Amino acid sequence: MATTEQLYQHYLKHSTICTDTRTITEGCLFFALKGDNFDANTFTEKALDQGAAFAIIDNAKYAINNQCILVADVLTALQDLAKHHRKQLNIPVIGLTGSNGKTTTKELIRAVLAEKFQVFATKGNLNNHIGVPLSILSLQDDVEIAVIEMGANHQKEIEFLCEIAQPTHGLITNVGMAHLDGFGGFEGVKKGKAELFAYLKAHHGFAFINRNNPYLLEMSEVAGLNKVVYYGSEKENSISGKLQHSDPLIEFEWATHHAHYQAKANLTGTYNFENILAAICIGHFFELSPEQINTGLANYFPNNNRSQLSKTEKNTVICDFYNANPSSMSAALNNLKSLSSAHKTAILGDMFELGAESPEQHELIAKLASQSNIETLIFIGKDFYAYKEKYTGHFFNTPAEAAVYLQENPVVANLVLLKGSRGMALEQLLYLL
């Protein structure tokens, strides 16, 4: 069995990691991970034929030549290799988690810091027990600072990811009604996210905290953090800010203890202002100038279906269908209500992973939407469909059924919110809008 140190010597010569034979590159290390419906050990020969330098496997049956490196468990070997690599790096690593806004905040931080540093930030949604090790193993010698997103749907997961990423700095965007099934309710969400604070406390790291969020303040106090940098609306914070306009894009003022600055962002949604302030706070902490910070913010254009404003031939669409939970859904609806438009449509898909609280949470969203000034409401999914007789709007079990309705009743000259959990695949409706 190969040791982590032996694997690391191979990694130093072949630093590209592949876990999928569809993305093999010449000279990479192929890690034969297992999934629910596949065993990548069976693709060992194919990976080597396509140019992989070595294949890391955990089934000796597939060790066809000396390019096959046998380990006890491929996933554990990948995680241990990432931990070992991280220990060799002497750079700031910003660990980022939260119920909502993680990816948007990560991209804002990356855009700001890139005005001064060579920055690595988690690609896409590689934020779990496989994605975080892959992200760490992507850190090369030229990287000066890293932003590592960490997702979780149960307790102890953030703790585990911190052991791999070993953050020196950290940020929890917020805590909300997300993954309630896995966390065991809202208190479980708080406890799970606070594992980042616990790691920072134990390793003398800095935490960036939104002072306007009472949950984060409580969690930081429980963790006993003593290296804290605050941002929020009040002047005593390291960075303070005031939202001035968000219809539809955000304009705002921000300030240090010494000066005020005006800025804009290419984002919609009042709820994104706290994410912007977090990026400003981190930029200021790492000694970027106000001009560099504002330039970084202005250069960020969302393209990941999170708070993304798209103008189609027929409508203006807020594309926010990458994910959804009750907290983010409420924020998106309240934002739509506040925007000025003669006609508004909300197309809402089911929210997943809510466990026993799912019926109550879907009803709360249906009620909130029905009581709004939104002209047209379309609900999609079996959980929303259960309230078809109770609340106003058009209810459908599937996106396909909703598509038929939209073809027969075209939405034109509307401001449209399109939001639902990833599994609802609401992007399939975009061509009709």
Side-chain angles (χ1 to χ4, degrees):
M1 297 286 176
T3 65
T4 298
E5 181 56 42
Q6 288 170 331
L7 278 181
Y8 195 63
Q9 293 309 309
H10 288 298
Y11 166 79
L12 291 176
K13 299 174 184 175
H14 307 280
S15 60
T16 300
I17 308 296
C18 291
T19 60
D20 189 331
T21 53
R22 293 170 296 185
T23 58
I24 293 291
T25 58
E26 188 71 30
C28 71
L29 295 182
F30 173 68
F31 279 74
L33 297 172
K34 297 183 183 71
D36 293 335
N37 302 307
F38 68 90
D39 178 358
N41 281 279
T42 61
F43 300 120
T44 300
E45 185 174 3
K46 182 178 181 181
L48 295 174
D49 286 345
Q50 291 179 203
F54 293 93
I56 291 80
I57 62 174
D58 51 19
N59 188 333
K61 173 183 174 181
Y62 297 97
I64 58 174
N65 57 32
N66 60 6
Q67 290 176 275
C68 299
I69 301 173
L70 189 64
V71 297
D73 180 82
V74 172
L75 177 57
T76 301
L78 178 70
Q79 294 165 341
D80 288 346
L81 181 63
K83 288 181 192 177
H84 185 74
H85 179 54
R86 172 67 185 94
K87 289 175 182 176
Q88 317 311 310
L89 303 172
N90 186 26
I91 61 171
V93 172
I94 303 167
L96 175 67
T97 190
S99 297
N100 302 304
K102 290 187 297 296
T103 300
T104 297
T105 305
K106 173 200 70 183
E107 291 300 326
L108 287 166
I109 295 169
R110 180 201 58 75
V112 167
L113 292 178
E115 292 298 310
K116 180 176 180 180
F117 300 103
Q118 184 69 30
V119 183
F120 173 89
T122 299
K123 304 293 192 296
N125 63 339
L126 292 175
N127 63 8
N128 63 4
H129 63 295
I130 296 172
V132 169
L134 291 175
S135 295
I136 295 298
L137 289 167
S138 296
L139 298 178
Q140 300 302 310
D141 291 341
D142 62 338
V143 174
E144 297 174 293
I145 190 165
V147 187
I148 302 297
E149 181 180 332
M150 297 183 287
N153 55 22
H154 57 267
Q155 291 179 37
K156 298 297 182 182
E157 192 168 4
I158 295 297
E159 178 183 290
F160 179 73
L161 296 178
C162 282
E163 292 297 331
I164 296 173
Q166 300 161 42
T168 55
H169 302 73
L171 170 73
I172 301 175
T173 57
N174 50 54
V175 285
M177 307 291 280
H179 304 296
L180 298 178
D181 195 16
F183 278 114
F186 181 63
E187 288 302 314
V189 175
K190 289 166 58 180
K191 186 175 179 180
K193 299 300 183 184
E195 290 163 12
L196 174 58
F197 286 166
Y199 182 91
L200 293 172
K201 167 65 175 177
H203 295 83
H204 313 291
F206 285 87
F208 303 98
I209 296 178
N210 179 0
R211 208 179 217 141
N212 290 5
N213 190 312
Y215 298 125
L216 296 180
L217 289 176
E218 174 196 341
M219 291 155 59
S220 68
E221 290 168 3
V222 170
L225 289 171
N226 49 24
K227 290 185 175 181
V228 179
V229 183
Y230 292 105
Y231 61 95
S233 58
E234 301 303 322
K235 293 179 181 179
E236 66 264 23
N237 296 307
S238 174
I239 293 295
S240 60
K242 180 181 179 181
L243 182 65
Q244 295 175 322
H245 183 73
S246 60
D247 195 2
L249 298 180
I250 293 173
E251 297 180 19
F252 60 98
E253 176 185 271
W254 66 275
T256 65
H257 292 308
H258 307 292
H260 289 72
Y261 308 94
Q262 295 293 128
K264 298 179 181 180
N266 300 299
L267 281 168
T268 188
T270 55
Y271 50 86
N272 271 313
F273 182 51
E274 61 187 25
N275 302 330
I276 292 168
L277 276 187
I280 294 172
C281 184
I282 290 173
H284 179 66
F285 178 86
F286 285 103
E287 299 183 344
L288 274 75
S289 70
E291 293 74 23
Q292 288 173 317
I293 290 171
N294 283 352
T295 298
L297 292 173
N299 285 341
Y300 173 61
F301 291 87
N303 60 2
N304 50 20
N305 298 319
R306 294 172 169 93
S307 303
Q308 181 178 338
L309 199 68
S310 298
K311 290 191 180 294
T312 70
E313 292 182 2
K314 296 187 289 185
N315 301 287
T316 298
V317 183
I318 301 172
C319 298
D320 201 3
F321 47 79
Y322 189 84
N323 219 334
N325 58 55
S327 300
S328 66
M329 192 74 89
S330 297
L333 278 170
N334 288 329
N335 180 64
L336 181 62
K337 285 162 57 179
S338 71
L339 297 177
S340 58
S341 177
H343 304 287
K344 301 177 186 178
T345 294
I347 303 175
L348 309 178
D350 275 356
M351 304 170 289
F352 293 176
E353 297 184 59
L354 296 180
E357 295 193 41
S358 185
E360 177 187 358
Q361 294 301 325
H362 280 86
E363 179 169 15
L364 286 172
I365 295 300
K367 182 179 180 181
L368 176 66
S370 296
Q371 293 175 341
S372 71
N373 62 347
I374 301 169
E375 186 176 356
T376 303
L377 298 172
I378 297 175
F379 299 94
I380 306 171
K382 62 180 180 61
D383 292 309
F384 275 130
Y385 194 82
Y387 300 100
K388 181 178 186 294
E389 304 301 328
K390 192 170 181 179
Y391 296 102
T392 58
H394 307 279
F395 291 77
F396 306 96
N397 274 303
T398 66
E401 293 176 8
V404 173
Y405 172 83
L406 289 170
Q407 287 169 333
E408 295 174 350
N409 302 271
V411 176
V412 180
N414 268 239
L415 178 60
V416 182
L417 170 66
L418 186 60
K419 185 167 181 64
S421 277
R422 187 72 206 91
M424 292 302 297
L426 294 186
E427 66 272 12
Q428 62 190 287
L429 299 178
L430 195 53
Y431 79 101
L432 294 167
L433 301 173

